[in-house]
Amino acid sequence: MRRLLAFMLILVFYMPAIFNGPGLATAQNDTPPDIIFFNGTVLTMEGPNVEALAVQGDRIVQLGSTSDITALAGPQTVVIDLQGRTLMPGFVDAHTHVFNDHNVWGLDLLGAQELALENGITTLGNMYTTPEFLAEMQALDAAGELRVRTSLYLIHTTNCGEPVGDWYRAYPPSREPGAMLWISGIKIFADGGTCGAVARSYESPPGAGYGDLYVEVDSLAEVVRAAESDGYQVAIHALGDRAVETAQEAIALALDGGPNVMRHRIEHNASVRPELLSRYGEIGIVPVLFGQYPVCSIADFGGWAAPEYQDYEWPWRALLDANPGVPFAWHSDQPWVGSMNPLIQLYSLVTFNDINEADGTICEAPAWLQSHAITVDEALPMMTINAAYALFREQEVGSLVPGKLADLIILSDNPRTVELSDIKDIEVLMTMVGGQVEYCRSGYESWCAGTVSGTAPE
């Protein structure tokens, strides 16, 4: 009965998207587009790349060759020559604290939002939402000042594993298509990390103990069942392999062989034993993975794993290989891990190297860690369409196809064609959300829709 209710909730949330979604909005009408981008590389994330894209209102309406798309222009259409630059979906950060921990940067909410937009992030999941913070975000949205699509996850436990009760039930899930602010799910901490120690099956470093496991399988499974019956997605923080195993088994127990309709997630997955690798696909769990490995500051995290446990450490290559077809998603966990810049996060995903924030030097990962890297073509979907899937937003964002929201960015170069070492130097030149330019890099104003000239600077 609970699973049927959860399925009905999905239909209620997504019926408008099903009947008015990307597959039907193909812009076959006589109204000229508002904006055309042409003469570039458009990374669609679904299907082949194209040269040009047209926007009408807040939606993408057509893609194709430069000649086909520019032929659609009317007298009022803003036409922007990309001059070979790259257009792609805005980055989707499936797990971040950009908003709730904005004070770490000395910023207010609007300042944190601007930081996200400057880095090409157009959609995010805020993973630590208290009642007080929920009220702040609702006020920001009500004032019309929320410009990054945000999914809130309400805490069921603190980061120290302390239960905070079922206060979240007063705020039912809300996933209205097109809305800037959603309430998507609840957040549970299975082990330490920011409070307490990571729960591993081995001592790292030796003599440090086995960490802090905050939950048991049966009790966690009951929370997942209850949340699912009310339509909430559950996101479980699990850094160590003991916590990962507990989260896997709890979700499996809650699902009882059924499909993971609510897309319950495991966050971080930083240490995964080999026998646990394939369990994500077998159970149907959505895994959310770090981008930037802290090579430069590894001493602050207890040092390198002992040789016999190195296969456990951020095993992204092995995870993807063991779970073909599983929509792995990326997350930054900002401001706590690495850079706010998704291009630096991408650079680390495909090299496992790190960048010293103090002087910009490269901290090279050891060979065993570099072997865990994935390819650019695997990483980019994790940072766009797969992350959107993890947030239930793939019907609207995460790829550039007709009918989806015009959430997109212009990059100075193509991450799929440059040398891996150059990915970190790619710049975000423009960020658009819902057809509106929300960030324009200084010196590139004429790349931004709404200007008189559609010609890019040399």
Side-chain angles (χ1 to χ4, degrees):
M1 185 66 183
R2 287 175 171 174
R3 191 159 292 120
L4 176 62
L5 177 59
F7 179 71
M8 294 302 294
L9 285 166
I10 291 292
L11 289 181
V12 170
F13 291 142
Y14 283 102
M15 197 65 73
I18 293 170
F19 289 104
N20 299 291
L24 300 181
T26 55
Q28 300 302 313
N29 57 58
D30 297 328
T31 305
D34 296 321
I35 308 162
I36 286 174
F37 298 95
F38 74 98
N39 189 27
T41 299
V42 181
L43 305 181
T44 64
M45 298 300 151
E46 290 191 62
N49 300 334
V50 295
E51 298 174 326
L53 175 147
V55 174
Q56 190 175 84
D58 65 352
R59 301 275 167 172
I60 299 163
V61 291
Q62 201 154 327
L63 300 94
S65 68
T66 287
S67 59
D68 287 345
I69 301 303
T70 54
L72 303 175
Q76 303 303 315
T77 302
V78 175
V79 181
I80 298 178
D81 185 350
L82 294 169
Q83 294 191 353
R85 298 304 195 276
T86 296
L87 192 73
M88 67 169 281
F91 289 110
V92 179
D93 193 341
H95 175 134
T96 182
H97 303 275
V98 165
F99 282 135
N100 70 274
D101 284 329
H102 57 84
N103 290 330
V104 170
W105 290 302
L107 299 172
D108 59 11
L109 280 175
L110 292 178
Q113 176 170 253
E114 190 61 33
L115 186 61
L117 292 165
E118 288 174 5
N119 283 282
I121 297 169
T122 56
T123 300
L124 59 83
N126 191 95
M127 279 294 157
Y128 200 93
T129 303
T130 62
E132 297 78 16
F133 176 67
L134 173 60
E136 285 186 67
M137 292 301 295
Q138 289 175 325
L140 189 71
D141 184 44
E145 295 183 312
L146 186 58
R147 295 147 55 211
V148 173
R149 302 187 197 283
T150 302
S151 297
L152 298 177
Y153 289 77
L154 316 185
I155 60 169
H156 184 269
T157 61
T158 70
N159 61 322
C160 296
E162 300 160 341
V164 295
D166 60 358
W167 68 275
Y168 63 88
R169 291 179 182 272
Y171 304 95
S174 58
R175 304 187 184 97
E176 179 186 353
M180 295 300 292
L181 187 67
W182 285 8
I183 294 175
S184 285
I186 64 172
K187 172 74 176 295
I188 300 171
F189 285 79
D191 68 345
T194 57
C195 175
V198 175
R200 297 184 175 97
S201 61
Y202 55 97
E203 295 185 283
S204 181
Y210 296 94
D212 299 299
L213 187 64
Y214 297 143
V215 292
E216 296 179 349
V217 170
D218 289 345
S219 58
L220 181 55
E222 185 53 42
V223 173
V224 174
R225 287 191 200 99
E228 178 162 314
S229 70
D230 291 332
Y232 295 95
Q233 180 187 35
V234 178
I236 304 173
H237 161 112
L239 282 163
D241 66 308
R242 279 204 300 144
V244 167
E245 183 175 27
T246 299
Q248 288 179 342
E249 295 308 312
I251 293 173
L253 187 60
L255 297 178
D256 192 24
N260 187 6
V261 175
M262 294 311 303
R263 304 180 189 178
H264 302 307
R265 304 164 35 168
I266 299 180
E267 313 297 300
H268 310 317
N269 305 280
S271 176
V272 184
R273 297 198 310 278
E275 63 267 29
L276 303 178
L277 291 172
S278 64
R279 293 288 284 155
Y280 299 89
E282 292 164 1
I283 298 168
I285 295 166
V286 177
V288 185
L289 310 180
F290 281 115
Q292 188 175 356
Y293 193 92
V295 176
C296 295
S297 55
I298 189 64
D300 298 336
F301 293 85
W304 300 113
E308 60 268 34
Y309 302 118
Q310 289 173 353
D311 285 348
Y312 298 19
E313 187 87 352
W314 292 36
W316 302 167
R317 175 75 273 145
L319 271 172
L320 267 64
D321 290 345
N323 296 278
V326 170
F328 283 87
W330 157 82
H331 75 294
S332 72
D333 205 21
Q334 280 294 297
W336 301 113
V337 180
S339 171
M340 183 70 187
N341 184 346
L343 278 312
I344 291 177
Q345 297 269 337
L346 174 61
Y347 167 72
S348 186
L349 276 169
V350 300
T351 66
F352 265 87
N353 293 337
D354 195 9
I355 300 176
N356 192 317
E357 291 186 358
D359 57 15
T361 57
I362 303 300
C363 301
E364 290 197 7
W368 67 265
L369 188 56
Q370 290 182 9
S371 70
H372 295 184
I374 59 177
T375 68
V376 174
D377 284 345
E378 291 168 328
L380 282 176
M382 289 170 58
M383 304 180 79
T384 52
I385 187 64
N386 289 3
Y389 177 87
L391 295 171
F392 275 97
R393 289 193 182 255
E394 82 283 1
Q395 290 287 335
E396 298 184 302
V397 303
S399 63
L400 303 182
V401 297
K404 283 199 174 184
L405 292 161
D407 291 9
L408 47 86
I409 56 178
I410 299 174
L411 299 181
S412 60
D413 217 328
N414 184 349
R416 279 182 164 158
T417 59
V418 300
E419 296 292 332
L420 296 185
S421 59
D422 294 331
I423 290 174
K424 65 185 183 305
D425 302 316
I426 296 175
E427 297 176 332
V428 175
L429 306 181
M430 186 275 286
T431 302
M432 173 178 283
V433 180
Q436 298 293 316
V437 173
E438 298 292 359
Y439 165 73
C440 192
R441 188 175 179 84
S442 178
Y444 291 86
E445 287 78 10
S446 56
W447 288 68
C448 300
T451 58
V452 175
S453 169
T455 302
E458 297 294 338

